Amino acid sequence: SSKIRNMEVQSADGVAVLEDCIGFSLTKTISKVEEKLKKGVLPDCQDDDFIPRVGNEMGAEAQIRLLKAKLRVMQEDLANVVFECRKKDEENQNLETRLKDTEEENTKLQRTISLQQSQTEKYKKLSQEANKKNEALQQEVTALEKVLQ
């Protein structure tokens, strides 16, 4: 299990964790790896999935070219992901703005509805009072017509 832990630590070395990105320079990292390769200090990673099995038979220069090509592809992928993240952030900002505007409009409409409901109740009461008054006047007219006949 200690070998497995050491392998996990070794495989984690050189991986850009978000916290470690402050002051991280890809150029410096590549330069350090190239210096180690020039000195002949090759990392002992038999299970490295970056270099195919044929990579063991490749020369150091070919391995470097392969790794640089893979690095370029990964950098392009990273750039695409960053671009997509920025696009999504802008979209989120726009949606948040629209949501805020919609909530404000909803609040205004709720106030308008409340005002209109209170006015409707007021007019209903006035209508009921007018109907009662009308009925009373109709009864009075009927009574007066009887008196006149």
Side-chain angles (χ1 to χ4, degrees):
S1 71
S2 63
K3 286 184 179 181
I4 292 172
R5 287 184 189 146
N6 288 339
M7 286 175 52
E8 288 174 358
V9 171
Q10 288 175 356
S11 65
D13 290 343
V15 174
V17 179
L18 190 57
E19 297 167 352
D20 297 338
C21 285
I22 301 169
F24 174 76
S25 171
L26 193 57
T27 309
K28 288 179 184 176
T29 305
I30 292 171
S31 298
K32 287 177 185 177
V33 170
E34 286 176 343
E35 285 176 21
K36 286 180 182 179
L37 288 173
K38 285 179 185 176
K39 291 178 184 177
V41 181
L42 293 174
D44 187 26
C45 298
Q46 295 293 332
D47 297 329
D48 195 352
D49 62 338
F50 286 114
I51 301 174
R53 296 209 185 273
V54 179
N56 294 334
E57 299 167 7
M58 290 200 295
E61 291 296 319
Q63 287 181 357
I64 291 172
R65 283 194 304 271
L66 176 66
L67 290 173
K68 282 185 178 181
K70 287 190 179 231
L71 178 63
R72 271 185 242 112
V73 169
M74 291 174 81
Q75 286 173 328
E76 290 173 9
D77 289 346
L78 178 62
N80 288 335
V81 168
V82 168
F83 174 77
E84 288 296 320
C85 283
R86 286 186 181 143
K87 202 161 81 170
K88 294 292 181 186
D89 284 344
E90 288 176 14
E91 187 177 330
N92 281 343
Q93 283 291 345
N94 291 338
L95 290 173
E96 285 176 3
T97 302
R98 285 179 50 197
L99 177 63
K100 185 178 176 185
D101 293 344
T102 303
E103 286 174 343
E104 288 174 1
E105 183 69 21
N106 186 29
T107 303
K108 288 177 186 177
L109 291 173
Q110 288 295 332
R111 279 191 228 130
T112 303
I113 288 171
S114 177
L115 179 65
Q116 289 177 346
Q117 285 176 340
S118 65
Q119 286 178 343
T120 301
E121 290 297 319
K122 177 182 168 184
Y123 289 129
K124 278 184 184 177
K125 286 180 183 177
L126 287 174
S127 174
Q128 288 173 352
E129 288 174 11
N131 283 338
K132 286 180 184 177
K133 201 176 214 182
N134 184 29
E135 285 179 23
L137 288 174
Q138 283 292 338
Q139 288 175 356
E140 192 177 325
V141 167
T142 305
L144 287 174
E145 283 178 349
K146 285 183 183 178
V147 170
L148 286 177
Q149 289 177 353

